[in-house]
Amino acid sequence: MSARAQIGVTGLAVMGRNLARNFARHGYTVAVHNRSYAKTESLVAEAGHEGDFVPSESMADFVASLERPRKVVIMVKAGAATDAVIDELVPLLEEGDIVVDAGNAHFPDTIRREAALKEHGLHFVGTGVSGGEEGALLGPSIMPGGTRESYESLGPILEDISAKVDGTPCCTYVGPDGAGHFVKMVHNGIEYADMQLIAEAYDLLKQGLGASAAEIGEIFAQWNTGDLESFLIEITADVLQHVDAATGQAFVDVVLDQAEQKGTGRWTVQNGLDLGVPITGIAEATFARALSGSVPQREAGRSALPAHAQEWEVKDRDAFIEDVRLALYASKVVAYSQGFDQIAAASLENGWDIDRGAMARIWRGGCIIRARFLNRITEAYERDAALPLLLADPYFTDAVGNGLSAWRRIVAGAAQNGVPTPAFSSSLAYYDGVRAERLPAALIQAQRDFFGAHTYRRVDRDGTFHTQWSGDRAEVEA
């Protein structure tokens, strides 16, 4: 088989299929392969008119059809399936070839695979791809890690097929080994928080106003014309206004209230704990999904737990809607601020040197969390690349500060009326914690010293100290 394909895709489920079509539509000759050859044949039959595909039945023929250095994109299920494909590929490749894992891999797996393939002289590029099926076809946000050398030949192709905002590709080099998949993981964590906050805003409008799904959908559509403009707000408006064909009811009212998850949110929270970064909004959103699926506990709670809540009486409909909007915006900013703190911490720990402003820039288009205010985040990191807290940027300080009274009213009202708002509430608590002059952590540290001799530091002089609690309570230097 003649080596004429510029890039190859193995794994032709919907995402792989659409990514291959995207390459072909941009003028690249694309080698395509799938474990089941029927999927390869159907792709060529249905999309062959879109560009030049080179189908192969065997992995050996697939590799042989690629130009050197070979660029192979793997689009299979994360985990063991990815390892199996890599094991089949590696003996067929030569030094300098590039293997791209474009699935939702856990970044420690990417670090392991990158190190293993480096021993064979191969480049392994762990690449986050966001945008779902439509993004894969029409232009996703792409987050490649790996060596800079591999990006020199692979990067222009990925930038070409990525989404564009103001003519700028939503793709850039992220950093070494697992950096690309790490950033995609945090992106997904922020997505969890964003979706939970939107769901809480919907519930507040429903409970506070007694509004129908369609009416709330109209409110979200209006919000999508302002600062909250984003893909998730846009689709929320569509979902809420959709009517179920079978029952004639609002579609959202016939969907079971148990949200599932594939694991990237959990990975993000686990890593936040490992790094010691308080990503409370993401954590609460992840736990809220877990709670929604806790069927026995919810059944027991419904039958046994009293509310002692007030009847929610909203006197000014428009003012309440505006309060929810402002609280939603402020809470969203907290979620992004926490996510970028996590990226900074991991970058420092792993020596990745990730440009946070560049990450905000490539998330402006193609991806699930694309939003107007990502421009503002990009600008914040352009003003100060080492910004320690996104909330402390003057634009976000003003934006959140302007909505602070509304945020407090909404969280207090939800608590008084028995409406759960874990993401709104935890985001406000984080805001108050990070701005506090002094925290009760002093008492916790004193307790730790009392029962475990864990020591403490003082506000009035340097050094580490311990109080002899079981003795004469004298203080000694540790």
Side-chain angles (χ1 to χ4, degrees):
M1 183 174 288
S2 61
R4 62 186 182 88
Q6 293 144 296
I7 194 159
V9 179
T10 179
L12 300 177
V14 177
M15 285 291 289
R17 185 186 194 90
N18 283 1
L19 205 59
R21 291 172 62 195
N22 193 350
F23 285 125
R25 287 178 172 192
H26 281 81
Y28 298 101
T29 299
V30 188
V32 287
H33 169 267
N34 193 75
R35 188 165 53 87
S36 162
Y37 189 55
K39 281 193 176 180
T40 310
E41 290 178 309
S42 73
L43 168 62
V44 176
E46 293 170 20
H49 64 282
E50 296 179 344
D52 192 6
F53 295 98
V54 183
S56 294
E57 192 164 359
S58 71
M59 187 69 84
D61 285 346
F62 169 70
V63 170
S65 69
L66 289 160
E67 294 176 353
R68 295 287 314 277
R70 302 179 183 92
K71 303 172 187 68
V72 180
V73 179
I74 300 172
M75 288 297 290
V76 301
K77 189 175 180 180
T82 300
D83 282 323
V85 172
I86 291 171
D87 289 345
E88 188 177 1
L89 264 174
V90 167
L92 302 170
L93 299 176
E94 298 174 79
E95 189 172 341
D97 288 348
I98 302 168
V99 178
V100 183
D101 176 11
N104 263 341
H106 198 192
F107 77 95
D109 287 339
T110 303
I111 293 173
R112 167 178 60 80
R113 290 164 181 153
E114 197 269 346
L117 267 65
K118 187 181 290 183
E119 293 182 4
H120 296 275
L122 303 172
H123 298 281
F124 187 77
V125 180
T127 300
V129 178
S130 179
E133 298 171 14
E134 185 176 288
L137 180 62
L138 303 179
S141 174
I142 307 178
M143 297 151 256
T147 62
R148 284 196 176 274
E149 182 186 348
S150 64
Y151 193 78
E152 286 175 11
S153 63
L154 180 67
I157 300 176
L158 297 182
E159 289 178 17
D160 199 10
I161 69 155
S162 72
K164 311 292 187 301
V165 175
D166 300 329
T168 301
C170 292
C171 172
T172 192
Y173 175 71
V174 176
D177 54 68
H181 274 143
F182 180 87
V183 165
K184 175 57 164 60
M185 179 192 76
V186 175
H187 163 286
N188 285 23
I190 294 171
E191 180 185 306
Y192 273 52
D194 213 341
M195 293 172 73
Q196 176 65 25
L197 289 166
I198 289 170
E200 290 179 17
Y202 151 75
D203 200 30
L204 287 162
L205 294 170
K206 180 181 179 181
Q207 304 281 359
L209 301 177
S212 68
E215 289 169 335
I216 300 170
E218 290 173 8
I219 292 168
F220 273 91
Q222 182 59 40
W223 286 353
N224 199 49
T225 64
D227 289 341
L228 282 172
E229 180 191 347
S230 67
F231 173 71
L232 285 171
I233 295 287
E234 177 188 342
I235 68 168
T236 298
D238 281 351
V239 168
L240 290 174
Q241 293 178 85
H242 181 59
V243 175
D244 176 52
T247 63
Q249 296 182 57
F251 173 72
V252 71
D253 291 337
V254 301
V255 176
L256 188 66
D257 62 337
Q258 296 174 22
E260 298 177 3
Q261 52 187 307
K262 289 189 173 179
T264 47
R266 283 197 298 270
W267 290 346
T268 310
V269 176
Q270 288 162 352
N271 176 258
L273 290 169
D274 291 341
L275 293 171
V277 178
I279 51 169
T280 55
I282 296 170
E284 286 294 350
T286 306
F287 287 129
R289 290 197 190 188
L291 174 62
S292 76
S294 299
V295 176
Q297 291 84 356
R298 290 181 63 194
E299 288 178 350
R302 274 194 295 267
S303 63
L305 302 180
H308 297 307
Q310 301 174 6
E311 279 292 319
W312 205 329
E313 294 182 16
V314 173
K315 295 178 180 176
D316 187 328
R317 183 180 188 274
D318 290 343
F320 180 76
I321 292 170
E322 179 63 4
D323 275 1
V324 175
R325 185 188 73 82
L326 289 167
L328 175 58
Y329 186 82
S331 299
K332 280 164 69 80
V333 173
V334 167
Y336 281 77
S337 183
Q338 292 176 347
F340 279 103
D341 280 352
Q342 185 173 8
I343 289 172
S347 180
L348 183 63
E349 181 168 283
N350 294 284
W352 286 336
D353 195 26
I354 298 173
D355 181 344
R356 289 175 292 172
M359 298 308 99
R361 188 172 64 248
I362 67 172
W363 288 349
R364 294 182 304 162
C367 71
I368 303 301
I369 63 171
R370 59 186 183 265
R372 179 188 293 190
F373 87 147
L374 280 160
N375 284 312
R376 300 295 192 177
I377 297 177
T378 301
E379 291 164 6
Y381 287 117
E382 284 174 351
R383 284 189 287 272
D384 181 2
L387 184 66
L389 178 72
L390 183 62
L391 285 164
D393 173 78
Y395 172 83
F396 288 110
T397 300
D398 290 345
V400 174
N402 289 339
L404 193 53
S405 296
W407 200 4
R408 296 195 190 285
R409 282 193 294 271
I410 288 299
V411 169
Q416 289 171 340
N417 293 280
V419 178
T421 55
F424 271 52
S425 303
S426 66
S427 298
L428 178 58
Y430 173 85
Y431 176 90
D432 283 332
V434 81
R435 67 162 191 87
E437 188 68 34
R438 186 166 169 80
L439 291 167
L443 177 58
I444 294 170
Q445 196 59 21
Q447 292 169 330
R448 294 181 74 245
D449 187 62
F450 190 109
F451 66 69
H454 292 297
T455 75
Y456 53 87
R457 286 171 292 155
R458 298 176 58 96
V459 299
D460 54 359
R461 62 180 184 270
D462 292 336
T464 304
F465 303 91
H466 167 61
T467 293
Q468 295 176 327
W469 297 101
S470 58
D472 61 3
R473 302 208 168 184
E475 182 178 78
V476 296
E477 281 204 56

